[in-house]
Amino acid sequence: MRGHASLIAGYVPGTSIFHRMLLWRKAVLLLLVAVLVLSFPAFPVWVGTIVTSVVLVAVVLAHFMARLPWSRLWRAVRLMLIFLLLIGVYQWWQFGPATAWTVIAAIVATVVASNILTSTTAIDELLDGLGALIRPLERFGADPERFSLTVALMLRSIPFILGAFSDVKDAARARGLERNLLARSLPVVIATVGYARATGEALAARGLGEACEPSGGNGVEPLAR
Amino acid sequence: MSFPANESIVLADAGVQIAPLDASGAGAKTILRPLSLELTERRIAVIGANGSGKSTLLRLLNGLVLPTSGTVRINGLDTQTQGAAVRRLVGFVFTDPLSQLIMPTPVEDVELSLRRLKLSKRERRDAAMSVLSSYGLDHLAHSSIYELSGGERQLVALASVLAVDPGILVLDEPSTLLDLRNTKLLRERLTALPQQLIISTHDLALALMCERVLVVDDAGIAFDGGPHEAVGWYRESVG
Ligand SMILES: Nc1ncnc2c1ncn2[C@@H]1O[C@H](COP(=O)(O)OP(=O)(O)O)[C@@H](O)[C@H]1O
Ligand SMILES: [Mg+2]
């Protein structure tokens, strides 16, 4: 299980300008890209089309300035290819080719830009950044460490679940059940629940995500009472 | 009870039961019969068949499972009420390192363990690197955990747990997923550690290197004694 995980995007070590840029600057740039391309409905179609196309080109250039490979760009797009196609067809039919192109370019630009951010920022730095974002909310009871741990766990679970899908597909095929929806989905659910349980236990065992020192209960459910 | 000695593990009538689902008693099950044990030896092995209750016994020791009767105390700390403090004292290594390793690279995973020490980022990275190099794993520091071999992953999981310096180390079948060579390597690494070790295992060579061996069978301790007698007894009982 889980042999396919290395296919999933993650940090690519490097020394490019984006690797060296402070995280908050990268975040501001990403936000800028999103605002530029997603605000097109507020402008005439031809303005939106030009702005979005220029931003898309800039983002793709930035991808290569970060010394990230072609394969990574393609992977980010491939994951949503069907989705893009459906949206494109619908937009073309409803609003014409210029709008269809603008919408697709906007989505691709945002995804590629966020891909650059996650590819050039070590997870640890990302978690610290997220924690810092939450820190002002601390007085309202927010726990920055817990928040960044939760995000880390979410990122960690993606390769597992994708790997489970692929393994279960192979197993179903080996038994001649590839057309059986239940045989292809139920084991994924079971594996995912098992994985979540195991991870929860491992976290508790490592003392992560628990309150400093509980008076009374310790966050672990008794087996039976 | 008297004052606890250093690293004392005391189970007093500790048992684990699944409560029945309804008044008829359906669904009730004894997972571990109440047992009293004092574990003071430096290295203790727990052996026995699959499903006999080894994992439950080990999970009792750090409060991952709470006894439904009796108490478990580690250095006087009750796992029921002082679970977080107990877990700081008792490191736990699981069979599958992938469910234990959370971050994408070994150095980040060790850093995650060190987060509770509230170091600066720089200090944390340095501390994590020195933990890894003290276990001879510095060359793997930045690899993806998915690229490591099973043996390397288990050694990284072990280093992550040891990073916060627990006095007691509990390992649940740490070599069950490993090949013969890595089983041997792990056995050597473990026996060199200064911590008190409680290890459940199917590796009888490892059990023979411990001072005391518990044989678990059918939710209870079937034999408790020196390694040679216990392993001999276990072999006999399997037939
Ligand atoms: N939370 C639980 N709920 C129901 N049954 C359990 C639970 N935990 C363990 N068991 C059962 O208790 C028995 C002992 O399990 P375990 O301690 O994992 O054994 P071992 O580690 O020796 O294989 C098994 O039959 C297992 O199915
Ligand atoms: Mg077990």
Side-chain angles (χ1 to χ4, degrees), chain A residues 7 71-84:
Chain A
L7 297 176
S71 56
R72 227 180 155 79
L73 191 67
W74 167 234
R75 201 162 57 203
V77 175
R78 193 188 56 192
L79 282 173
M80 39 175 205
L81 211 54
I82 293 178
F83 171 71
L84 286 177

Side-chain angles (χ1 to χ4, degrees), chain A residues 145 156 201 204 206 210 218, chain B residues 59 87 98 102 113 116:
Chain A
E145 280 290 297
R156 175 74 174 75
E201 272 204 318
R206 289 175 70 179
E210 28 188 27
N218 54 15
Chain B
R59 282 163 154 76
R87 282 186 282 281
L98 274 185
I102 291 159
S113 287
R116 84 162 72 128

Side-chain angles (χ1 to χ4, degrees), chain A residues 197 223, chain B residues 18 29 31 49-57 172-173:
Chain A
R197 271 192 68 125
L223 212 50
Chain B
I18 303 274
K29 185 177 174 190
I31 299 186
N50 294 328
S52 55
K54 299 181 299 296
S55 297
T56 307
L57 174 59
D172 191 4
E173 299 190 22

Side-chain angles (χ1 to χ4, degrees), chain B residues 55-129:
Chain B
S55 297
T56 307
L57 174 59
L58 296 192
R59 282 163 154 76
L60 274 178
L61 303 181
N62 74 341
L64 279 184
V65 166
L66 297 172
T68 50
S69 62
T71 59
V72 178
R73 283 174 189 279
I74 314 294
N75 287 3
L77 299 167
D78 190 332
T79 58
Q80 194 98 241
T81 54
Q82 292 157 297
V86 165
R87 282 186 282 281
R88 266 199 290 282
L89 212 62
V90 183
F92 200 103
V93 175
F94 294 82
T95 309
D96 182 1
L98 274 185
S99 65
Q100 169 151 0
L101 295 170
I102 291 159
M103 302 302 267
T105 62
V107 66
E108 289 170 289
D109 201 78
V110 175
E111 283 176 345
L112 182 67
S113 287
L114 297 174
R115 267 174 180 262
R116 84 162 72 128
L117 302 184
K118 301 278 171 225
L119 303 169
S120 79
K121 224 162 99 166
R122 177 92 240 159
E123 291 168 326
R124 197 158 67 207
R125 172 61 50 119
D126 291 347
M129 283 310 291

